[in-house]
Amino acid sequence: MPYRQLPFPDFLDSLVEALRETIGNGRAIAVLAGREGAAVACADVDAESARQTADLVGREGARGVVLVGDVADAGDCVRLITAAREQLGGLDGLV
């Protein structure tokens, strides 16, 4: 069967937080969400990696914000979600 691109959900006016985006799929989803108009909070334990993803989101014309934390730590998860809500005005999804 030939490859065909499936439509990406309409994220216009929505917010998506990409956690652990540097693993590959998360970064790709963050960029695709940005391409569709979503504001994206890019969280990682490595600030530089999160910044790179936020820059890629920005190149798609969307807002990307950098958050630093470890999603394996429950306290960090709470802090990251709280920061995403504060910086983006809400939160519609987690990746």
Side-chain angles (χ1 to χ4, degrees):
M1 173 181 286
Y3 170 83
R4 69 184 177 95
Q5 184 173 352
L6 298 175
F8 195 70
D10 184 356
F11 281 110
L12 230 63
D13 299 322
S14 68
L15 309 169
V16 176
E17 181 171 2
L19 298 174
R20 302 290 271 207
E21 78 289 333
T22 58
I23 296 173
N25 287 339
R27 179 175 275 180
I29 291 168
V31 171
L32 287 172
R35 186 175 296 160
E36 294 297 322
V40 181
C42 305
D44 198 294
V45 294
D46 178 7
E48 177 60 21
S49 184
R51 187 198 58 75
Q52 289 172 0
T53 300
D55 287 347
L56 291 171
V57 169
R59 289 183 199 159
E60 296 297 330
R63 182 174 175 210
V65 298
V66 175
L67 301 176
V68 179
D70 184 355
V71 297
D73 179 283
D76 272 5
C77 287
V78 171
R79 189 181 54 75
L80 290 169
I81 290 169
T82 300
R85 285 180 171 165
E86 289 173 358
Q87 292 187 40
L88 299 176
L91 186 64
D92 293 330
L94 297 171
V95 177

